[in-house]
Amino acid sequence: MGQECFYRENRQDRAEEEILLTERLAEGCGETHWRIRPMTQRENEEIWKRSGEDEGRYQEMILAESVVFPDLKDAALQNSYGVIGAERLLARLLLVGEYDCLRREVERINGGEDDGCTDYI
């Protein structure tokens, strides 16, 4: 086929995925799965610039931006935890192991499952 296999119309995009991150938060309300999305390199670069090129802040922003559900930008959800901002909410919502699990899932959905290319996330 040649170079045509790299054309946009032949590309297979990754879609949002549901993950079971924790049942602890949604117990009793029926919604236990989180939804995460992959991001483009352009989005990645924009987040890096907005982070002030601070690696810790960058990682927090990547994770928060990858979460589609629950909506971490929802003011009522942030208010219920007494925080402002998706990154701070995520840090309040999750236990250490849950946060690490989310980080691994974000790496995986962005193509880092085989070669460790996204280990920095």
Side-chain angles (χ1 to χ4, degrees):
M1 179 174 208
Q3 187 157 309
E4 295 81 22
C5 64
F6 290 97
Y7 289 178
R8 185 170 191 205
E9 59 269 14
N10 295 323
R11 181 175 76 183
Q12 292 183 8
D13 289 328
R14 291 185 178 205
E16 289 180 7
E17 291 185 15
E18 286 190 354
I19 60 171
L20 180 58
L21 190 57
T22 178
E23 292 180 357
R24 176 182 63 84
L25 295 170
E27 209 169 294
C29 64
E31 185 63 60
T32 57
H33 286 82
W34 289 47
R35 283 194 314 275
I36 59 172
R37 69 175 188 91
M39 63 181 55
T40 65
Q41 178 58 22
R42 184 187 261 349
E43 290 174 299
N44 180 54
E45 290 168 357
E46 290 170 4
I47 291 170
W48 176 247
K49 288 176 189 173
R50 285 194 341 251
S51 75
E53 299 182 8
D54 176 286
E55 287 190 34
R57 176 121 172 85
Y58 165 73
Q59 179 177 334
E60 293 170 352
M61 292 173 74
I62 286 283
L63 294 181
E65 196 64 36
S66 296
V67 174
V68 176
F69 183 83
D71 180 3
L72 301 177
K73 296 175 184 174
D74 181 75
L77 184 56
Q78 290 179 14
N79 286 341
S80 76
Y81 283 87
V83 297
I84 296 174
E87 297 88 14
R88 288 193 172 142
L89 176 60
L90 192 57
R92 284 276 177 94
L93 273 169
L94 300 176
L95 299 174
V96 174
E98 295 164 346
Y99 194 90
D100 189 51
C101 182
L102 175 62
R103 182 191 54 77
R104 287 192 313 267
E105 290 295 324
V106 167
E107 285 179 7
R108 181 190 56 74
I109 198 171
N110 281 293
E113 64 267 24
D114 293 328
D115 57 12
C117 287
T118 56
D119 283 345
Y120 59 89
I121 294 178

